[in-house]
Every structure is written in C-alpha cells, then in structure tokens.
Amino acid sequence: MPLVPMRTMLDHAAENDYGVAALNVNNMEQIQAIMMAAEETDSPVIIQASSGARKYTNDAYLRHLMLAAVELYPKIPIVMHLDHGNAPEACFSAIEQGFTSVMMDGSLTLDSKPSSYDYNVEVTLKVVEAAHAVGVSVEGEIGALGGIEDGHGAGLSEEEAQEHLTDPAQAEQFVADTGVDALAVAIGTSHGAYKFKKKPTGEVLKMSLIEEIHKRLPNTHLVMHGSSSVPQELQDIINKYGGDIRQTYGVPIEEIQRGIKHGVRKVNVDTDSRLAITGAIRKVFAETPEAFDPRKYLTPAREAMKQVCVARMTAFGQAGNAGKIKPNTCKEMVDFYKK
Ligand SMILES: [Zn+2]
C-alpha cells in the first residue's frame, strides 16, 4: 500500500486505545530495523525524519529507502513524518518530497528560543492550511521541551523545562486556533539521553498534565516527545565496551502506557535506537578488533535496534494492528478536511 496519512493511523489508534511509536531514521539499517520489527509484530509504523536526517540523506536517499520499505512490506501501513519542522518552508518541502505528515514546531523561534503564542499559531496555521489542502496530517507543539538533539531545541535544563510545561487551557485554545491533527505537549521530558538525574517521579514527569489536557481535548491525538526509556542495560553495554555514558534515566514504559490510556497516540523514540546501535557496534569492535567488513557490525546493530522496536511496538499496543487499518491516501483525506 502507498504511504498513509498519520491522521488515519492515529484515528485507528484512538478508536482502539493504543499508541504508535514514532521512530527516527537516518539510514538504511534503521529503516530496515523498524520494518523487520513491524513485520514481526504486525504493527503499523510511523517513520520520522528530522531536518538533520533530511540533510544527511539529501532527501533523495530517504525518499527511495521509504519507497523500498513500501515495496517490501505491502501489508504494513507506514506514515512518513517530518519531525520538528522549524518553519513552514521546511514543512512545504517535506510535502513535496512525499511525506504524509509534518510537524510544524512553532514552540520555538528560528533561533531556538521559546516563542510567543501568536507566533506559534501564525506559523502552524499556515502549515495546516497548506497541508490539509493536499490531505497531509499536521502535528503542532505547545510548551517547550528540555534538551537538544540534532541541533533542535532551546537547550533547556531539566529544571528550566519545568517552566515551559504545556498549559492545558492554552493547549485547548491552540487546537481551536490551528486545527492540528496531533499535539505535542511538554510534560517534563526532554530530547537526548540525559532526561532525568534520577528515576522520574510525578514531580518532574507530569503525567497528570496529560490527563488534564486529554479531558479538554478528547478528540486531539496527543504526542509525547523525548520518550525514550534509556534502558540501563543499553547504557551498560556501551560503557562495558569502552563508551562513556553518564548515568541517566529516561521515561519509564509504564508512564508511557499511562499516557496512552489518556489520549497519547504517538510516542517519539530515537535515543533508545541510537543506544542499541552504538552498544552493538562497540561490542563487535571490542571483541573482534580484526573485523573490518561494515556488515560485521551493522548486522548486529540493526538487530539490536530491531529488538528495541519490537519491545516498544508491543508495549505501546500497536502490535497486531497493521492488518486492521483500512489504508487510505493523502488524496483521499482532502475531502475529510473540507468538512
Ligand atoms: Zn521532539
């Protein structure tokens, strides 16, 4: 089947109470890992690329790798999503490249500072109007996350991020003002590996905020960013084989599952894949220093990322749903948005 719009997938997830992992990619092995996991678990998938990934792949490699995934896995619904478009132009060029969903992150200005509400509405609305006219789904963001990744983010510390959490009333207004399909909210998570200095409690990871926002916006698909779990065993593998990852804590799986019970439909996971890949490669380098065929270390790296994907797809409940989604195309969504 062709790439599907994100709205279609998240509507199905909402009707059936599950969440979908949105997994970042930069290269062939990462796309392969996701698709192997999706096939094994019969999962619909959201594959997302940041501006950094688009630059790294010159767009063209990414586009053709995605077409390869579509060709090889005709029964798996796949969404191709732009992660953190920083300006309307970034979203428009993604739509030209065939992305079926875009994120306009107007929560930050072009120089990565927390933006004003009016700025956010202005840029997001511009994208919603253009994207919906061609049936492409749109994710917006209200509130600002901590950390920085792929050059994106205000670099807020764990403490500073607490000052930019999503205001539920403002979230409700934002959806009314823009008409986004999905909304990323800031609840204390941050991008990258260093999210929390200790296992997070409700004090720093405000899942209660998700519940409040969901009550006000029962029909908007909520998105959790920075939601890698940063498993201890992945940190340990890297450090055992010569790496240097400072002790850190991510978002516990059970907290994500709590979010999924309260309207979270898209869960962004990138760091866990990166950790799995790096650990596997380090292990090969340490144990077989004579190896020099890239497949010798990229094959276990791909397998390690696949295992992370299988675990998340199972935990979030998307497993078993690939065949249940009635696929459609962006073209078919145009009339939906006219209503
Ligand atoms: Zn993000």
Side-chain angles (χ1 to χ4, degrees):
M1 70 182 76
L3 293 165
V4 302
M6 188 163 79
R7 179 64 188 256
T8 304
M9 194 176 288
L10 298 190
D11 280 353
H12 187 266
E15 282 157 25
N16 297 280
D17 300 315
Y18 64 91
V20 183
L23 299 148
N24 284 75
V25 295
N26 292 279
N27 62 20
M28 179 178 78
E29 283 77 10
Q30 290 177 306
I31 295 178
Q32 289 177 319
I34 295 168
M35 294 315 300
M36 287 156 70
E39 183 175 53
E40 188 174 304
T41 58
D42 187 38
S43 295
V45 289
I46 298 171
I47 296 183
Q48 61 184 11
S50 64
S51 300
R54 292 181 62 193
K55 210 167 157 193
Y56 186 75
T57 59
N58 296 77
D59 268 337
Y61 284 110
L62 176 68
R63 187 173 70 246
H64 287 279
L65 286 168
M66 292 299 296
L67 292 178
V70 165
E71 179 183 322
L72 293 169
Y73 300 91
K75 291 182 179 153
I76 305 284
I78 309 170
V79 168
M80 186 177 175
H81 176 78
L82 172 67
D83 191 20
H84 290 289
N86 65 345
E89 293 66 33
C91 297
F92 301 154
S93 67
I95 293 168
E96 274 168 31
Q97 290 291 328
F99 284 66
T100 54
S101 178
V102 292
M103 176 186 192
M104 176 63 235
D105 179 2
S107 73
L108 299 176
T109 59
L110 270 178
D111 49 3
S112 293
K113 301 273 184 313
S115 67
S116 70
Y117 178 82
D118 290 344
Y119 170 86
N120 196 352
V121 169
E122 183 192 327
V123 291
T124 306
L125 186 58
K126 206 169 163 184
V127 171
V128 168
E129 285 171 349
H132 284 183
V134 289
V136 168
S137 320
V138 181
E139 173 185 341
E141 175 165 329
I142 190 91
L145 266 78
I148 197 155
E149 195 161 23
D150 263 12
H152 178 88
L156 304 175
S157 69
E158 186 184 330
E159 293 75 22
E160 286 165 336
Q162 293 291 329
E163 289 162 30
H164 294 276
L165 298 181
T166 302
D167 174 318
Q170 199 178 55
E172 190 178 357
Q173 189 61 46
F174 184 74
V175 170
D177 287 344
T178 60
V180 289
D181 301 281
L183 183 67
V185 292
I187 55 165
T189 63
S190 47
H191 293 115
Y194 300 101
K195 300 182 193 301
F196 302 108
K197 297 186 187 78
K198 54 186 174 57
K199 190 169 185 245
T201 61
E203 279 294 292
V204 289
L205 178 61
K206 299 221 164 51
M207 297 309 297
S208 55
L209 201 50
I210 291 261
E211 295 172 17
E212 220 182 303
I213 296 165
H214 181 52
K215 265 188 207 137
R216 286 174 179 265
L217 291 167
N219 300 316
T220 301
H221 304 306
L222 303 181
V223 183
M224 280 175 70
H225 278 241
S227 290
S228 277
S229 300
V230 198
Q232 187 64 47
E233 61 268 26
L234 294 184
Q235 297 180 48
D236 290 346
I237 292 173
I238 292 177
N239 289 338
K240 180 177 173 189
Y241 294 105
D244 186 12
I245 302 284
R246 236 159 55 229
Q247 180 62 48
T248 178
Y249 297 86
V251 183
I253 296 286
E254 59 271 21
E255 298 295 334
I256 297 170
Q257 289 171 328
R258 181 176 160 194
I260 291 169
K261 286 201 183 88
H262 298 279
V264 170
R265 299 296 158 225
K266 174 172 179 275
V267 184
N268 287 12
V269 174
D270 186 7
T271 294
D272 288 350
S273 305
R274 294 175 173 204
L275 292 172
I277 287 171
T278 301
I281 291 176
R282 280 195 171 279
K283 185 165 187 277
V284 175
F285 284 173
E287 289 178 346
T288 45
E290 70 279 14
F292 64 92
D293 178 345
R295 290 170 299 185
K296 274 269 185 271
Y297 48 88
L298 291 178
T299 304
R302 186 175 68 186
E303 178 60 26
M305 176 170 164
K306 181 200 147 191
Q307 285 176 19
V308 166
C309 296
V310 165
R312 299 296 174 276
M313 288 168 180
T314 307
F316 300 165
Q318 76 206 78
N321 281 291
K324 295 180 188 160
I325 294 179
K326 194 172 158 276
N328 66 350
T329 60
C330 288
K331 226 177 183 168
E332 291 170 276
M333 287 299 284
V334 172
D335 286 335
F336 170 85
Y337 289 119
K338 277 186 190 152
K339 283 171 198 159

